[in-house]
Each structure stands twice: as structure tokens, then as C-alpha cells.
Coordinates of all heavy atoms in Angstrom, one line a residue:
A375 N 15.9 8.4 -27.9 CA 14.6 8.8 -27.3 C 13.6 7.7 -27.3 O 12.8 7.5 -26.3 CB 14.1 10.0 -28.1
A376 N 13.6 6.9 -28.4 CA 12.6 5.8 -28.4 C 13.0 4.7 -27.4 O 12.1 4.2 -26.7 CB 12.6 5.2 -29.8
L377 N 14.3 4.5 -27.2 CA 14.7 3.5 -26.1 C 14.3 4.0 -24.7 O 13.8 3.2 -23.9 CB 16.2 3.3 -26.2 CG 16.8 2.5 -27.3 CD1 18.3 2.6 -27.3 CD2 16.3 1.0 -27.2
L378 N 14.5 5.3 -24.5 CA 14.1 5.8 -23.2 C 12.6 5.8 -23.0 O 12.1 5.4 -21.9 CB 14.6 7.3 -23.1 CG 16.1 7.5 -22.9 CD1 16.5 8.9 -23.0 CD2 16.6 6.9 -21.6
Q379 N 11.9 6.2 -24.0 CA 10.4 6.2 -23.9 C 9.9 4.8 -23.5 O 9.0 4.6 -22.6 CB 9.8 6.7 -25.2 CG 8.2 6.8 -25.1 CD 7.8 7.9 -24.2 OE1 8.6 8.8 -23.9 NE2 6.6 7.8 -23.7
E380 N 10.4 3.8 -24.3 CA 9.9 2.4 -24.0 C 10.4 1.9 -22.7 O 9.7 1.2 -22.0 CB 10.4 1.5 -25.2 CG 10.1 0.0 -25.0 CD 8.6 -0.3 -25.0 OE1 7.8 0.6 -25.4 OE2 8.2 -1.4 -24.6
G381 N 11.6 2.2 -22.3 CA 12.2 1.8 -21.0 C 11.4 2.4 -19.9 O 11.0 1.7 -18.9
Y382 N 11.0 3.7 -19.9 CA 10.2 4.3 -18.9 C 8.8 3.7 -18.8 O 8.3 3.5 -17.8 CB 10.1 5.8 -19.1 CG 11.5 6.5 -19.0 CD1 11.8 7.6 -19.8 CD2 12.4 6.2 -18.0 CE1 13.0 8.2 -19.7 CE2 13.6 6.8 -17.9 CZ 13.9 7.8 -18.8 OH 15.1 8.5 -18.7
R383 N 8.3 3.4 -20.0 CA 6.9 2.8 -20.0 C 7.0 1.4 -19.4 O 6.1 1.1 -18.5 CB 6.5 2.6 -21.5 CG 5.0 2.1 -21.6 CD 4.7 1.8 -23.1 NE 5.4 0.6 -23.5 CZ 5.0 -0.7 -23.2 NH1 3.9 -0.9 -22.4 NH2 5.7 -1.7 -23.6
R384 N 8.0 0.6 -19.7 CA 8.1 -0.7 -19.1 C 8.3 -0.6 -17.6 O 7.7 -1.4 -16.8 CB 9.2 -1.5 -19.7 CG 8.9 -1.9 -21.2 CD 10.0 -2.9 -21.6 NE 9.9 -3.2 -23.1 CZ 10.6 -4.1 -23.7 NH1 11.5 -4.8 -23.1 NH2 10.4 -4.3 -25.0
A385 N 9.2 0.3 -17.2 CA 9.5 0.4 -15.8 C 8.2 0.9 -15.0 O 8.0 0.4 -13.9 CB 10.6 1.5 -15.6
A386 N 7.5 1.8 -15.6 CA 6.3 2.3 -14.9 C 5.3 1.1 -14.7 O 4.7 0.9 -13.6 CB 5.6 3.4 -15.7
W387 N 5.1 0.3 -15.8 CA 4.1 -0.8 -15.7 C 4.5 -1.9 -14.8 O 3.7 -2.6 -14.1 CB 3.8 -1.3 -17.1 CG 2.8 -0.5 -17.8 CD1 3.0 0.4 -18.9 CD2 1.4 -0.4 -17.6 NE1 1.8 1.0 -19.3 CE2 0.8 0.5 -18.5 CE3 0.5 -1.1 -16.7 CZ2 -0.6 0.8 -18.5 CZ3 -0.8 -0.8 -16.7 CH2 -1.4 0.1 -17.6
R388 N 5.8 -2.1 -14.7 CA 6.4 -3.2 -13.9 C 6.5 -2.9 -12.5 O 6.3 -3.7 -11.6 CB 7.7 -3.6 -14.5 CG 7.7 -4.3 -15.8 CD 7.4 -5.8 -15.7 NE 7.4 -6.4 -17.0 CZ 7.6 -7.7 -17.2 NH1 7.7 -8.5 -16.1 NH2 7.6 -8.3 -18.4
L389 N 6.9 -1.6 -12.2 CA 7.2 -1.2 -10.8 C 6.1 -0.6 -10.1 O 5.8 -1.0 -8.9 CB 8.4 -0.3 -10.8 CG 9.7 -0.8 -11.4 CD1 10.8 0.3 -11.4 CD2 10.2 -2.0 -10.7
I390 N 5.4 0.3 -10.7 CA 4.4 1.1 -9.9 C 3.3 0.3 -9.4 O 3.0 0.4 -8.2 CB 3.9 2.3 -10.8 CG1 5.1 3.2 -11.2 CG2 2.8 3.1 -10.0 CD1 5.8 3.8 -10.0
P391 N 2.6 -0.6 -10.2 CA 1.5 -1.4 -9.6 C 2.0 -2.2 -8.4 O 1.3 -2.3 -7.4 CB 1.1 -2.2 -10.7 CG 1.4 -1.5 -11.9 CD 2.7 -0.8 -11.6
F392 N 3.2 -2.8 -8.5 CA 3.7 -3.6 -7.4 C 4.0 -2.8 -6.2 O 3.7 -3.1 -5.0 CB 5.0 -4.4 -7.9 CG 5.5 -5.3 -6.8 CD1 4.7 -6.4 -6.4 CD2 6.8 -5.2 -6.3 CE1 5.2 -7.3 -5.4 CE2 7.3 -6.1 -5.4 CZ 6.5 -7.2 -5.0
L393 N 4.7 -1.6 -6.4 CA 5.0 -0.7 -5.2 C 3.7 -0.2 -4.6 O 3.6 0.0 -3.4 CB 5.9 0.4 -5.7 CG 7.3 0.0 -6.2 CD1 8.0 1.2 -6.8 CD2 8.1 -0.6 -5.0
V394 N 2.7 0.1 -5.4 CA 1.4 0.6 -4.9 C 0.8 -0.5 -4.0 O 0.3 -0.2 -2.9 CB 0.5 1.0 -6.0 CG1 -1.0 1.1 -5.5 CG2 0.9 2.3 -6.7
F395 N 0.9 -1.7 -4.5 CA 0.3 -2.9 -3.8 C 1.0 -3.0 -2.4 O 0.4 -3.2 -1.4 CB 0.5 -4.2 -4.6 CG 0.1 -5.4 -3.8 CD1 -1.2 -5.7 -3.5 CD2 1.1 -6.3 -3.5 CE1 -1.5 -6.8 -2.8 CE2 0.8 -7.5 -2.8 CZ -0.6 -7.7 -2.4
L396 N 2.4 -2.9 -2.4 CA 3.1 -2.9 -1.1 C 2.7 -1.8 -0.2 O 2.5 -2.1 1.0 CB 4.6 -2.9 -1.4 CG 5.3 -4.0 -2.1 CD1 6.7 -3.8 -2.3 CD2 5.0 -5.3 -1.4
F397 N 2.5 -0.6 -0.7 CA 2.2 0.5 0.2 C 0.7 0.3 0.7 O 0.4 0.7 1.8 CB 2.3 1.8 -0.5 CG 2.2 3.0 0.5 CD1 3.2 3.4 1.3 CD2 0.9 3.6 0.6 CE1 3.0 4.4 2.2 CE2 0.7 4.6 1.5 CZ 1.8 5.0 2.4
V398 N -0.1 -0.2 -0.1 CA -1.5 -0.4 0.3 C -1.5 -1.4 1.5 O -2.2 -1.1 2.5 CB -2.4 -1.0 -0.8 CG1 -3.7 -1.6 -0.3 CG2 -2.7 0.0 -1.9
L399 N -0.7 -2.4 1.5 CA -0.5 -3.3 2.6 C 0.0 -2.6 3.8 O -0.4 -2.8 5.0 CB 0.4 -4.5 2.2 CG -0.1 -5.4 1.1 CD1 0.9 -6.5 0.9 CD2 -1.5 -6.1 1.5
A400 N 1.1 -1.7 3.6 CA 1.7 -1.0 4.7 C 0.7 -0.1 5.3 O 0.6 0.0 6.6 CB 2.9 -0.2 4.2
W401 N -0.1 0.6 4.5 CA -1.1 1.6 5.0 C -2.2 0.9 5.8 O -2.6 1.3 6.9 CB -1.7 2.4 3.9 CG -2.7 3.4 4.3 CD1 -4.0 3.3 4.3 CD2 -2.4 4.7 4.9 NE1 -4.6 4.5 4.7 CE2 -3.6 5.3 5.1 CE3 -1.2 5.4 5.2 CZ2 -3.7 6.6 5.6 CZ3 -1.3 6.7 5.7 CH2 -2.5 7.3 5.9
I402 N -2.7 -0.2 5.3 CA -3.7 -1.0 6.0 C -3.2 -1.5 7.3 O -3.9 -1.4 8.3 CB -4.1 -2.2 5.1 CG1 -5.0 -1.7 3.9 CG2 -4.9 -3.2 5.9 CD1 -5.3 -2.8 2.9
D403 N -2.0 -2.0 7.4 CA -1.4 -2.5 8.6 C -1.2 -1.4 9.6 O -1.1 -1.6 10.8 CB -0.2 -3.3 8.4 CG -0.4 -4.7 7.8 OD1 -1.6 -5.1 7.9 OD2 0.5 -5.3 7.2
R404 N -0.9 -0.2 9.1 CA -0.7 1.0 9.9 C -2.0 1.5 10.6 O -2.0 1.8 11.7 CB -0.1 2.1 9.1 CG 0.2 3.4 9.9 CD 0.4 4.6 9.1 NE 1.6 4.5 8.2 CZ 2.1 5.5 7.5 NH1 1.5 6.7 7.5 NH2 3.1 5.3 6.7
V405 N -3.1 1.6 9.8 CA -4.3 2.2 10.3 C -5.4 1.3 10.6 O -6.5 1.8 11.1 CB -4.8 3.3 9.2 CG1 -3.7 4.2 8.8 CG2 -5.3 2.6 8.0
N406 N -5.2 0.0 10.5 CA -6.4 -0.9 10.8 C -6.7 -0.9 12.3 O -7.8 -1.3 12.7 CB -6.1 -2.3 10.3 CG -4.8 -2.9 10.9 OD1 -4.2 -2.4 11.8 ND2 -4.4 -4.1 10.4
V407 N -5.8 -0.3 13.1 CA -6.1 -0.1 14.5 C -7.3 0.8 14.7 O -8.0 0.7 15.7 CB -4.8 0.4 15.2 CG1 -4.5 1.9 14.8 CG2 -5.0 0.3 16.8
G408 N -7.5 1.7 13.7 CA -8.7 2.6 13.8 C -10.0 1.8 13.7 O -11.0 2.2 14.3
F409 N -10.0 0.7 12.9 CA -11.2 -0.1 12.8 C -11.3 -1.1 14.0 O -12.3 -1.4 14.5 CB -11.2 -0.9 11.5 CG -11.6 -0.1 10.3 CD1 -10.6 0.6 9.6 CD2 -12.9 0.1 10.0 CE1 -10.9 1.3 8.5 CE2 -13.2 0.9 8.9 CZ -12.2 1.5 8.1
A410 N -10.1 -1.6 14.4 CA -10.0 -2.5 15.5 C -10.5 -1.8 16.8 O -11.2 -2.5 17.7 CB -8.6 -3.0 15.8
K411 N -10.3 -0.5 16.9 CA -10.8 0.3 18.0 C -12.3 0.1 18.3 O -12.7 0.2 19.5 CB -10.4 1.7 17.7 CG -10.9 2.7 18.8 CD -10.6 4.2 18.3 CE -11.0 5.2 19.3 NZ -12.5 5.3 19.3
L412 N -13.1 -0.1 17.3 CA -14.5 -0.2 17.4 C -14.9 -1.2 18.5 O -16.0 -1.1 19.1 CB -15.2 -0.4 16.1 CG -15.0 0.6 15.0 CD1 -15.6 0.2 13.7 CD2 -15.5 2.0 15.4
S413 N -14.1 -2.2 18.7 CA -14.4 -3.2 19.7 C -13.3 -3.6 20.6 O -13.4 -4.1 21.7 CB -15.0 -4.5 19.1 OG -14.1 -5.1 18.1
M414 N -12.0 -3.3 20.1 CA -10.8 -3.6 20.8 C -10.8 -2.9 22.2 O -10.4 -3.5 23.2 CB -9.6 -3.3 20.0 CG -8.3 -3.5 20.6 SD -6.9 -3.0 19.5 CE -5.5 -3.4 20.5
L415 N -11.1 -1.7 22.2 CA -11.0 -0.9 23.5 C -11.9 -1.5 24.6 O -11.5 -1.6 25.7 CB -11.4 0.6 23.2 CG -10.2 1.5 22.9 CD1 -9.5 1.1 21.7 CD2 -10.7 3.0 22.8
S416 N -13.1 -1.8 24.2 CA -14.0 -2.4 25.3 C -13.5 -3.8 25.7 O -13.6 -4.1 26.9 CB -15.4 -2.5 24.7 OG -15.5 -3.3 23.5
D417 N -13.0 -4.6 24.8 CA -12.5 -5.9 25.1 C -11.4 -5.9 26.0 O -11.2 -6.7 26.9 CB -12.2 -6.7 23.8 CG -13.4 -7.1 23.0 OD1 -14.5 -7.0 23.5 OD2 -13.2 -7.7 21.9
L418 N -10.5 -4.9 25.8 CA -9.2 -4.8 26.6 C -9.3 -3.8 27.7 O -8.3 -3.6 28.5 CB -8.1 -4.5 25.7 CG -7.8 -5.5 24.6 CD1 -6.6 -5.1 23.8 CD2 -7.5 -6.9 25.2
N419 N -10.4 -3.1 27.8 CA -10.6 -2.1 28.8 C -9.6 -0.9 28.7 O -9.0 -0.4 29.6 CB -10.5 -2.6 30.3 CG -11.7 -3.5 30.6 OD1 -12.8 -3.2 30.3 ND2 -11.4 -4.7 31.2
F420 N -9.3 -0.6 27.4 CA -8.4 0.5 27.1 C -9.2 1.8 27.0 O -10.4 1.8 26.5 CB -7.7 0.3 25.8 CG -6.6 -0.7 25.8 CD1 -5.9 -1.0 24.6 CD2 -6.2 -1.3 27.0 CE1 -4.9 -2.0 24.6 CE2 -5.2 -2.3 27.0 CZ -4.6 -2.6 25.8
S421 N -8.7 2.9 27.5 CA -9.3 4.2 27.4 C -9.0 4.8 26.0 O -8.1 4.4 25.3 CB -8.8 5.1 28.5 OG -7.5 5.4 28.3

């Protein structure tokens, strides 16, 4: 039980922050078009 507890603790601290960082980048690259839209549409004459 102690081995599992320590293993899960290490895995959470090592993996989750890095995976969160990766998804933050993915999400930003997915939705930044919403901010680009504020001037992109007029520059490119998109409707």
C-alpha cells in the first residue's frame, strides 16, 4: 500500500503538470482564432 501510494503521488506530480501544459498549448492553438477574428476578418475580407 505504501509503495502504491508513493508511486501514485510521484506519477501525479510528474505527469499531470506536464500533460496540463501540453493541453493548454493545444487549447490555445485551437481557439486563438477567436481572438484573431477581432482583426483578421477585416484584413482578409472574410464574412
Side-chain angles (χ1 to χ4, degrees):
L377 285 172
L378 288 171
Q379 185 68 22
E380 178 62 16
Y382 295 141
R383 186 191 70 81
R384 291 190 187 185
W387 277 106
R388 292 277 186 160
L389 299 179
I390 299 301
F392 185 60
L393 293 172
V394 166
F395 173 69
L396 292 178
F397 188 83
V398 167
L399 295 178
W401 181 260
I402 287 174
D403 286 343
R404 178 195 301 188
V405 306
N406 58 12
V407 69
F409 286 92
K411 172 182 181 288
L412 297 176
S413 58
M414 179 182 180
L415 265 62
S416 58
D417 287 354
L418 299 179
N419 294 317
F420 286 176
S421 66

